[in-house]
Amino acid sequence: MDKRTLYITGEARTNMDNAITKIYGVFYMAFEVVEETGEIVDVDCNATLKLTQSFIRKLFLCHSILEESQFLEQEVAQRYFGSSGKAILAAYRDARQHYRQIVGKS
């Protein structure tokens, strides 16, 4: 039997000169998360380049949205040098908060 998963999004603002802002207005990240464990089984975002989407996916995939938050934030800070770094962190934190609210973990 498959594990029950949840679809959770997070959003953040990017710089006014960022292509994401010009095209979409807001940066979004979407996570498919195993409800019981918080394991991230899929990730997507509205970045404008496929390589950016793929890189972000690799950073978050197979990690726990809650238990590995410090590690995930360090990975973004130490490995992502695009203009949307702060937005990625903010969108992740927003999604993490939504997950907490849904499953009742503080």
mmCIF file of all heavy atoms in Angstrom, residues 63-106:
data_model
loop_
_atom_site.group_PDB
_atom_site.id
_atom_site.type_symbol
_atom_site.label_atom_id
_atom_site.label_comp_id
_atom_site.label_asym_id
_atom_site.label_seq_id
_atom_site.Cartn_x
_atom_site.Cartn_y
_atom_site.Cartn_z
ATOM 1 N N HIS A 63 14.326 14.341 1.739
ATOM 2 C CA HIS A 63 14.633 14.864 3.070
ATOM 3 C C HIS A 63 13.326 15.125 3.810
ATOM 4 O O HIS A 63 12.269 15.226 3.203
ATOM 5 C CB HIS A 63 15.449 16.156 2.971
ATOM 6 C CG HIS A 63 16.821 15.946 2.433
ATOM 7 N ND1 HIS A 63 17.849 15.394 3.163
ATOM 8 C CD2 HIS A 63 17.334 16.191 1.208
ATOM 9 C CE1 HIS A 63 18.931 15.315 2.429
ATOM 10 N NE2 HIS A 63 18.645 15.794 1.221
ATOM 11 N N SER A 64 13.420 15.265 5.111
ATOM 12 C CA SER A 64 12.244 15.545 5.936
ATOM 13 C C SER A 64 11.973 17.038 5.961
ATOM 14 O O SER A 64 12.877 17.831 6.255
ATOM 15 C CB SER A 64 12.452 15.035 7.358
ATOM 16 O OG SER A 64 11.413 15.510 8.195
ATOM 17 N N ILE A 65 10.747 17.415 5.681
ATOM 18 C CA ILE A 65 10.384 18.833 5.659
ATOM 19 C C ILE A 65 10.540 19.477 7.035
ATOM 20 O O ILE A 65 10.838 20.668 7.136
ATOM 21 C CB ILE A 65 8.963 19.038 5.095
ATOM 22 C CG1 ILE A 65 8.743 20.511 4.709
ATOM 23 C CG2 ILE A 65 7.896 18.530 6.055
ATOM 24 C CD1 ILE A 65 7.540 20.749 3.824
ATOM 25 N N LEU A 66 10.412 18.694 8.109
ATOM 26 C CA LEU A 66 10.568 19.224 9.471
ATOM 27 C C LEU A 66 11.907 18.872 10.101
ATOM 28 O O LEU A 66 12.632 19.741 10.571
ATOM 29 C CB LEU A 66 9.468 18.685 10.394
ATOM 30 C CG LEU A 66 8.069 19.244 10.253
ATOM 31 C CD1 LEU A 66 7.152 18.621 11.292
ATOM 32 C CD2 LEU A 66 8.052 20.749 10.369
ATOM 33 N N GLU A 67 12.223 17.596 10.131
ATOM 34 C CA GLU A 67 13.373 17.103 10.884
ATOM 35 C C GLU A 67 14.712 17.563 10.325
ATOM 36 O O GLU A 67 15.704 17.588 11.052
ATOM 37 C CB GLU A 67 13.341 15.575 10.973
ATOM 38 C CG GLU A 67 12.069 15.011 11.566
ATOM 39 C CD GLU A 67 11.794 15.525 12.973
ATOM 40 O OE1 GLU A 67 12.739 15.664 13.763
ATOM 41 O OE2 GLU A 67 10.618 15.803 13.269
ATOM 42 N N GLU A 68 14.753 17.911 9.050
ATOM 43 C CA GLU A 68 16.021 18.305 8.438
ATOM 44 C C GLU A 68 16.012 19.770 7.997
ATOM 45 O O GLU A 68 16.741 20.153 7.099
ATOM 46 C CB GLU A 68 16.325 17.401 7.246
ATOM 47 C CG GLU A 68 16.555 15.949 7.645
ATOM 48 C CD GLU A 68 16.864 15.082 6.452
ATOM 49 O OE1 GLU A 68 18.027 15.103 6.002
ATOM 50 O OE2 GLU A 68 15.939 14.395 5.973
ATOM 51 N N SER A 69 15.230 20.590 8.659
ATOM 52 C CA SER A 69 15.095 21.980 8.221
ATOM 53 C C SER A 69 16.417 22.743 8.272
ATOM 54 O O SER A 69 16.739 23.492 7.354
ATOM 55 C CB SER A 69 14.017 22.702 9.026
ATOM 56 O OG SER A 69 14.341 22.723 10.389
ATOM 57 N N GLN A 70 17.190 22.549 9.319
ATOM 58 C CA GLN A 70 18.481 23.242 9.409
ATOM 59 C C GLN A 70 19.405 22.797 8.274
ATOM 60 O O GLN A 70 20.051 23.623 7.627
ATOM 61 C CB GLN A 70 19.139 22.985 10.768
ATOM 62 C CG GLN A 70 20.422 23.771 10.956
ATOM 63 C CD GLN A 70 21.012 23.585 12.344
ATOM 64 O OE1 GLN A 70 20.550 22.780 13.136
ATOM 65 N NE2 GLN A 70 22.056 24.328 12.636
ATOM 66 N N PHE A 71 19.456 21.500 8.019
ATOM 67 C CA PHE A 71 20.290 20.975 6.931
ATOM 68 C C PHE A 71 19.836 21.548 5.593
ATOM 69 O O PHE A 71 20.663 22.001 4.791
ATOM 70 C CB PHE A 71 20.222 19.440 6.905
ATOM 71 C CG PHE A 71 20.860 18.849 5.674
ATOM 72 C CD1 PHE A 71 22.243 18.744 5.584
ATOM 73 C CD2 PHE A 71 20.080 18.414 4.612
ATOM 74 C CE1 PHE A 71 22.834 18.208 4.441
ATOM 75 C CE2 PHE A 71 20.660 17.880 3.470
ATOM 76 C CZ PHE A 71 22.047 17.774 3.385
ATOM 77 N N LEU A 72 18.531 21.535 5.338
ATOM 78 C CA LEU A 72 18.013 22.022 4.061
ATOM 79 C C LEU A 72 18.320 23.503 3.868
ATOM 80 O O LEU A 72 18.714 23.924 2.772
ATOM 81 C CB LEU A 72 16.510 21.753 3.959
ATOM 82 C CG LEU A 72 16.125 20.290 3.816
ATOM 83 C CD1 LEU A 72 14.623 20.109 3.985
ATOM 84 C CD2 LEU A 72 16.586 19.749 2.469
ATOM 85 N N GLU A 73 18.160 24.287 4.915
ATOM 86 C CA GLU A 73 18.458 25.713 4.806
ATOM 87 C C GLU A 73 19.950 25.950 4.558
ATOM 88 O O GLU A 73 20.324 26.824 3.777
ATOM 89 C CB GLU A 73 17.971 26.457 6.046
ATOM 90 C CG GLU A 73 16.447 26.500 6.095
ATOM 91 C CD GLU A 73 15.888 27.428 7.150
ATOM 92 O OE1 GLU A 73 16.595 28.395 7.528
ATOM 93 O OE2 GLU A 73 14.749 27.207 7.569
ATOM 94 N N GLN A 74 20.805 25.165 5.178
ATOM 95 C CA GLN A 74 22.248 25.264 4.935
ATOM 96 C C GLN A 74 22.582 24.873 3.500
ATOM 97 O O GLN A 74 23.428 25.507 2.861
ATOM 98 C CB GLN A 74 23.029 24.384 5.906
ATOM 99 C CG GLN A 74 23.100 24.932 7.299
ATOM 100 C CD GLN A 74 23.833 23.994 8.247
ATOM 101 O OE1 GLN A 74 23.973 22.795 7.990
ATOM 102 N NE2 GLN A 74 24.294 24.531 9.359
ATOM 103 N N GLU A 75 21.933 23.826 3.002
ATOM 104 C CA GLU A 75 22.179 23.405 1.620
ATOM 105 C C GLU A 75 21.847 24.519 0.630
ATOM 106 O O GLU A 75 22.614 24.787 -0.280
ATOM 107 C CB GLU A 75 21.345 22.156 1.279
ATOM 108 C CG GLU A 75 21.877 20.877 1.867
ATOM 109 C CD GLU A 75 23.165 20.451 1.202
ATOM 110 O OE1 GLU A 75 23.119 19.868 0.100
ATOM 111 O OE2 GLU A 75 24.235 20.694 1.788
ATOM 112 N N VAL A 76 20.712 25.168 0.832
ATOM 113 C CA VAL A 76 20.340 26.275 -0.052
ATOM 114 C C VAL A 76 21.369 27.400 0.077
ATOM 115 O O VAL A 76 21.868 27.913 -0.940
ATOM 116 C CB VAL A 76 18.918 26.789 0.260
ATOM 117 C CG1 VAL A 76 18.615 28.055 -0.535
ATOM 118 C CG2 VAL A 76 17.878 25.708 -0.044
ATOM 119 N N ALA A 77 21.710 27.780 1.294
ATOM 120 C CA ALA A 77 22.638 28.891 1.526
ATOM 121 C C ALA A 77 24.032 28.603 0.964
ATOM 122 O O ALA A 77 24.691 29.502 0.444
ATOM 123 C CB ALA A 77 22.725 29.202 3.014
ATOM 124 N N GLN A 78 24.481 27.352 1.046
ATOM 125 C CA GLN A 78 25.844 27.009 0.645
ATOM 126 C C GLN A 78 25.976 26.571 -0.809
ATOM 127 O O GLN A 78 27.076 26.570 -1.355
ATOM 128 C CB GLN A 78 26.390 25.901 1.551
ATOM 129 C CG GLN A 78 26.577 26.359 2.973
ATOM 130 C CD GLN A 78 26.975 25.220 3.899
ATOM 131 O OE1 GLN A 78 27.076 24.061 3.497
ATOM 132 N NE2 GLN A 78 27.188 25.547 5.168
ATOM 133 N N ARG A 79 24.847 26.227 -1.456
ATOM 134 C CA ARG A 79 24.954 25.672 -2.806
ATOM 135 C C ARG A 79 24.192 26.434 -3.877
ATOM 136 O O ARG A 79 24.492 26.307 -5.052
ATOM 137 C CB ARG A 79 24.473 24.209 -2.786
ATOM 138 C CG ARG A 79 25.349 23.335 -1.897
ATOM 139 C CD ARG A 79 24.877 21.906 -1.864
ATOM 140 N NE ARG A 79 24.844 21.338 -3.195
ATOM 141 C CZ ARG A 79 24.127 20.261 -3.524
ATOM 142 N NH1 ARG A 79 23.392 19.648 -2.628
ATOM 143 N NH2 ARG A 79 24.145 19.806 -4.757
ATOM 144 N N TYR A 80 23.192 27.220 -3.492
ATOM 145 C CA TYR A 80 22.386 27.943 -4.478
ATOM 146 C C TYR A 80 22.828 29.407 -4.520
ATOM 147 O O TYR A 80 22.715 30.117 -3.523
ATOM 148 C CB TYR A 80 20.892 27.860 -4.141
ATOM 149 C CG TYR A 80 20.039 28.525 -5.190
ATOM 150 C CD1 TYR A 80 19.588 27.809 -6.291
ATOM 151 C CD2 TYR A 80 19.712 29.875 -5.096
ATOM 152 C CE1 TYR A 80 18.827 28.429 -7.275
ATOM 153 C CE2 TYR A 80 18.947 30.483 -6.080
ATOM 154 C CZ TYR A 80 18.519 29.770 -7.154
ATOM 155 O OH TYR A 80 17.770 30.365 -8.134
ATOM 156 N N PHE A 81 23.320 29.848 -5.678
ATOM 157 C CA PHE A 81 23.831 31.204 -5.810
ATOM 158 C C PHE A 81 23.089 31.998 -6.879
ATOM 159 O O PHE A 81 23.611 32.957 -7.432
ATOM 160 C CB PHE A 81 25.342 31.186 -6.073
ATOM 161 C CG PHE A 81 26.107 30.637 -4.903
ATOM 162 C CD1 PHE A 81 26.533 29.323 -4.907
ATOM 163 C CD2 PHE A 81 26.355 31.426 -3.791
ATOM 164 C CE1 PHE A 81 27.223 28.795 -3.813
ATOM 165 C CE2 PHE A 81 27.038 30.909 -2.697
ATOM 166 C CZ PHE A 81 27.466 29.596 -2.715
ATOM 167 N N GLY A 82 21.838 31.618 -7.135
ATOM 168 C CA GLY A 82 20.980 32.384 -8.032
ATOM 169 C C GLY A 82 20.328 33.528 -7.273
ATOM 170 O O GLY A 82 20.426 33.632 -6.050
ATOM 171 N N SER A 83 19.628 34.375 -7.995
ATOM 172 C CA SER A 83 19.031 35.567 -7.385
ATOM 173 C C SER A 83 17.810 35.261 -6.509
ATOM 174 O O SER A 83 17.344 36.136 -5.796
ATOM 175 C CB SER A 83 18.647 36.572 -8.471
ATOM 176 O OG SER A 83 17.678 36.014 -9.335
ATOM 177 N N SER A 84 17.323 34.027 -6.533
ATOM 178 C CA SER A 84 16.117 33.676 -5.780
ATOM 179 C C SER A 84 16.399 32.917 -4.486
ATOM 180 O O SER A 84 15.500 32.326 -3.904
ATOM 181 C CB SER A 84 15.187 32.829 -6.661
ATOM 182 O OG SER A 84 14.854 33.528 -7.823
ATOM 183 N N GLY A 85 17.632 32.946 -4.012
ATOM 184 C CA GLY A 85 17.993 32.186 -2.812
ATOM 185 C C GLY A 85 17.129 32.508 -1.593
ATOM 186 O O GLY A 85 16.647 31.613 -0.909
ATOM 187 N N LYS A 86 16.944 33.788 -1.321
ATOM 188 C CA LYS A 86 16.121 34.179 -0.173
ATOM 189 C C LYS A 86 14.669 33.752 -0.371
ATOM 190 O O LYS A 86 13.998 33.347 0.572
ATOM 191 C CB LYS A 86 16.200 35.686 0.049
ATOM 192 C CG LYS A 86 17.541 36.136 0.582
ATOM 193 C CD LYS A 86 17.578 37.632 0.802
ATOM 194 C CE LYS A 86 18.948 38.065 1.273
ATOM 195 N NZ LYS A 86 19.043 39.522 1.437
ATOM 196 N N ALA A 87 14.185 33.822 -1.599
ATOM 197 C CA ALA A 87 12.805 33.413 -1.888
ATOM 198 C C ALA A 87 12.633 31.907 -1.699
ATOM 199 O O ALA A 87 11.598 31.460 -1.202
ATOM 200 C CB ALA A 87 12.409 33.828 -3.298
ATOM 201 N N ILE A 88 13.631 31.132 -2.067
ATOM 202 C CA ILE A 88 13.566 29.680 -1.884
ATOM 203 C C ILE A 88 13.440 29.372 -0.392
ATOM 204 O O ILE A 88 12.593 28.571 0.021
ATOM 205 C CB ILE A 88 14.798 28.980 -2.490
ATOM 206 C CG1 ILE A 88 14.779 29.090 -4.010
ATOM 207 C CG2 ILE A 88 14.860 27.513 -2.051
ATOM 208 C CD1 ILE A 88 16.087 28.702 -4.665
ATOM 209 N N LEU A 89 14.275 30.004 0.408
ATOM 210 C CA LEU A 89 14.221 29.778 1.858
ATOM 211 C C LEU A 89 12.877 30.204 2.437
ATOM 212 O O LEU A 89 12.292 29.488 3.251
ATOM 213 C CB LEU A 89 15.360 30.523 2.554
ATOM 214 C CG LEU A 89 16.761 29.978 2.298
ATOM 215 C CD1 LEU A 89 17.812 30.910 2.883
ATOM 216 C CD2 LEU A 89 16.913 28.577 2.850
ATOM 217 N N ALA A 90 12.384 31.355 2.011
ATOM 218 C CA ALA A 90 11.098 31.843 2.532
ATOM 219 C C ALA A 90 9.945 30.934 2.106
ATOM 220 O O ALA A 90 9.053 30.636 2.907
ATOM 221 C CB ALA A 90 10.854 33.272 2.061
ATOM 222 N N ALA A 91 9.956 30.469 0.861
ATOM 223 C CA ALA A 91 8.892 29.581 0.379
ATOM 224 C C ALA A 91 8.948 28.237 1.099
ATOM 225 O O ALA A 91 7.915 27.667 1.457
ATOM 226 C CB ALA A 91 8.999 29.391 -1.133
ATOM 227 N N TYR A 92 10.155 27.718 1.334
ATOM 228 C CA TYR A 92 10.309 26.475 2.087
ATOM 229 C C TYR A 92 9.764 26.637 3.506
ATOM 230 O O TYR A 92 9.011 25.794 4.003
ATOM 231 C CB TYR A 92 11.775 26.034 2.102
ATOM 232 C CG TYR A 92 12.075 25.036 3.187
ATOM 233 C CD1 TYR A 92 11.513 23.757 3.146
ATOM 234 C CD2 TYR A 92 12.882 25.355 4.265
ATOM 235 C CE1 TYR A 92 11.761 22.836 4.156
ATOM 236 C CE2 TYR A 92 13.142 24.446 5.267
ATOM 237 C CZ TYR A 92 12.582 23.191 5.213
ATOM 238 O OH TYR A 92 12.823 22.280 6.216
ATOM 239 N N ARG A 93 10.131 27.726 4.165
ATOM 240 C CA ARG A 93 9.653 27.966 5.530
ATOM 241 C C ARG A 93 8.132 28.093 5.575
ATOM 242 O O ARG A 93 7.490 27.602 6.508
ATOM 243 C CB ARG A 93 10.301 29.223 6.098
ATOM 244 C CG ARG A 93 11.780 29.049 6.366
ATOM 245 C CD ARG A 93 12.439 30.349 6.762
ATOM 246 N NE ARG A 93 13.881 30.182 6.908
ATOM 247 C CZ ARG A 93 14.771 31.119 6.614
ATOM 248 N NH1 ARG A 93 14.374 32.308 6.163
ATOM 249 N NH2 ARG A 93 16.056 30.892 6.758
ATOM 250 N N ASP A 94 7.567 28.729 4.567
ATOM 251 C CA ASP A 94 6.111 28.864 4.477
ATOM 252 C C ASP A 94 5.451 27.490 4.321
ATOM 253 O O ASP A 94 4.486 27.173 5.015
ATOM 254 C CB ASP A 94 5.757 29.784 3.305
ATOM 255 C CG ASP A 94 4.285 30.127 3.233
ATOM 256 O OD1 ASP A 94 3.677 30.422 4.286
ATOM 257 O OD2 ASP A 94 3.740 30.116 2.111
ATOM 258 N N ALA A 95 5.993 26.663 3.439
ATOM 259 C CA ALA A 95 5.456 25.310 3.246
ATOM 260 C C ALA A 95 5.623 24.473 4.512
ATOM 261 O O ALA A 95 4.718 23.721 4.901
ATOM 262 C CB ALA A 95 6.144 24.636 2.067
ATOM 263 N N ARG A 96 6.779 24.603 5.164
ATOM 264 C CA ARG A 96 7.024 23.865 6.405
ATOM 265 C C ARG A 96 5.986 24.237 7.464
ATOM 266 O O ARG A 96 5.461 23.370 8.172
ATOM 267 C CB ARG A 96 8.443 24.149 6.896
ATOM 268 C CG ARG A 96 8.851 23.346 8.110
ATOM 269 C CD ARG A 96 10.266 23.655 8.532
ATOM 270 N NE ARG A 96 10.337 25.024 9.022
ATOM 271 C CZ ARG A 96 11.424 25.787 8.983
ATOM 272 N NH1 ARG A 96 12.548 25.338 8.459
ATOM 273 N NH2 ARG A 96 11.404 27.009 9.455
ATOM 274 N N GLN A 97 5.669 25.513 7.556
ATOM 275 C CA GLN A 97 4.658 25.971 8.510
ATOM 276 C C GLN A 97 3.277 25.400 8.166
ATOM 277 O O GLN A 97 2.534 24.994 9.053
ATOM 278 C CB GLN A 97 4.618 27.507 8.554
ATOM 279 C CG GLN A 97 3.668 28.044 9.592
ATOM 280 C CD GLN A 97 4.031 27.601 11.012
ATOM 281 O OE1 GLN A 97 5.194 27.403 11.368
ATOM 282 N NE2 GLN A 97 3.028 27.428 11.843
ATOM 283 N N HIS A 98 2.950 25.365 6.881
ATOM 284 C CA HIS A 98 1.671 24.770 6.459
ATOM 285 C C HIS A 98 1.616 23.296 6.857
ATOM 286 O O HIS A 98 0.589 22.822 7.344
ATOM 287 C CB HIS A 98 1.468 24.907 4.953
ATOM 288 C CG HIS A 98 1.217 26.312 4.511
ATOM 289 N ND1 HIS A 98 1.394 26.720 3.225
ATOM 290 C CD2 HIS A 98 0.798 27.404 5.183
ATOM 291 C CE1 HIS A 98 1.099 28.000 3.121
ATOM 292 N NE2 HIS A 98 0.740 28.439 4.302
ATOM 293 N N TYR A 99 2.718 22.564 6.645
ATOM 294 C CA TYR A 99 2.761 21.156 7.028
ATOM 295 C C TYR A 99 2.516 21.009 8.531
ATOM 296 O O TYR A 99 1.731 20.164 8.960
ATOM 297 C CB TYR A 99 4.106 20.532 6.622
ATOM 298 C CG TYR A 99 4.267 19.119 7.109
ATOM 299 C CD1 TYR A 99 3.643 18.059 6.461
ATOM 300 C CD2 TYR A 99 5.042 18.836 8.233
ATOM 301 C CE1 TYR A 99 3.780 16.754 6.918
ATOM 302 C CE2 TYR A 99 5.188 17.538 8.694
ATOM 303 C CZ TYR A 99 4.558 16.500 8.037
ATOM 304 O OH TYR A 99 4.703 15.213 8.494
ATOM 305 N N ARG A 100 3.176 21.834 9.327
ATOM 306 C CA ARG A 100 2.988 21.784 10.789
ATOM 307 C C ARG A 100 1.533 21.976 11.155
ATOM 308 O O ARG A 100 1.000 21.286 12.018
ATOM 309 C CB ARG A 100 3.830 22.865 11.469
ATOM 310 C CG ARG A 100 5.263 22.548 11.627
ATOM 311 C CD ARG A 100 5.933 23.621 12.483
ATOM 312 N NE ARG A 100 7.311 23.310 12.680
ATOM 313 C CZ ARG A 100 8.307 24.139 12.437
ATOM 314 N NH1 ARG A 100 8.079 25.347 11.974
ATOM 315 N NH2 ARG A 100 9.544 23.773 12.653
ATOM 316 N N GLN A 101 0.895 22.941 10.535
ATOM 317 C CA GLN A 101 -0.509 23.228 10.831
ATOM 318 C C GLN A 101 -1.400 22.045 10.442
ATOM 319 O O GLN A 101 -2.332 21.695 11.176
ATOM 320 C CB GLN A 101 -0.962 24.495 10.116
ATOM 321 C CG GLN A 101 -0.318 25.749 10.644
ATOM 322 C CD GLN A 101 -0.585 26.969 9.780
ATOM 323 O OE1 GLN A 101 -1.034 26.863 8.652
ATOM 324 N NE2 GLN A 101 -0.279 28.141 10.313
ATOM 325 N N ILE A 102 -1.120 21.440 9.312
ATOM 326 C CA ILE A 102 -1.949 20.338 8.814
ATOM 327 C C ILE A 102 -1.836 19.115 9.719
ATOM 328 O O ILE A 102 -2.842 18.500 10.062
ATOM 329 C CB ILE A 102 -1.560 19.982 7.366
ATOM 330 C CG1 ILE A 102 -1.958 21.123 6.425
ATOM 331 C CG2 ILE A 102 -2.193 18.668 6.922
ATOM 332 C CD1 ILE A 102 -1.311 21.049 5.048
ATOM 333 N N VAL A 103 -0.626 18.763 10.107
ATOM 334 C CA VAL A 103 -0.434 17.542 10.889
ATOM 335 C C VAL A 103 -0.426 17.795 12.394
ATOM 336 O O VAL A 103 -0.281 16.853 13.185
ATOM 337 C CB VAL A 103 0.841 16.769 10.463
ATOM 338 C CG1 VAL A 103 0.748 16.347 9.012
ATOM 339 C CG2 VAL A 103 2.095 17.562 10.721
ATOM 340 N N GLY A 104 -0.551 19.050 12.790
ATOM 341 C CA GLY A 104 -0.638 19.372 14.205
ATOM 342 C C GLY A 104 0.659 19.303 14.958
ATOM 343 O O GLY A 104 0.676 19.027 16.153
ATOM 344 N N LYS A 105 1.779 19.544 14.276
ATOM 345 C CA LYS A 105 3.083 19.562 14.950
ATOM 346 C C LYS A 105 3.541 21.004 15.077
ATOM 347 O O LYS A 105 3.444 21.777 14.148
ATOM 348 C CB LYS A 105 4.121 18.770 14.145
ATOM 349 C CG LYS A 105 3.814 17.298 14.081
ATOM 350 C CD LYS A 105 4.899 16.550 13.362
ATOM 351 C CE LYS A 105 4.577 15.068 13.327
ATOM 352 N NZ LYS A 105 5.589 14.285 12.650
ATOM 353 N N SER A 106 4.064 21.336 16.250
ATOM 354 C CA SER A 106 4.552 22.714 16.423
ATOM 355 C C SER A 106 6.041 22.795 16.390
ATOM 356 O O SER A 106 6.749 21.893 16.248
ATOM 357 C CB SER A 106 4.039 23.316 17.719
ATOM 358 O OG SER A 106 3.979 22.399 18.750
#
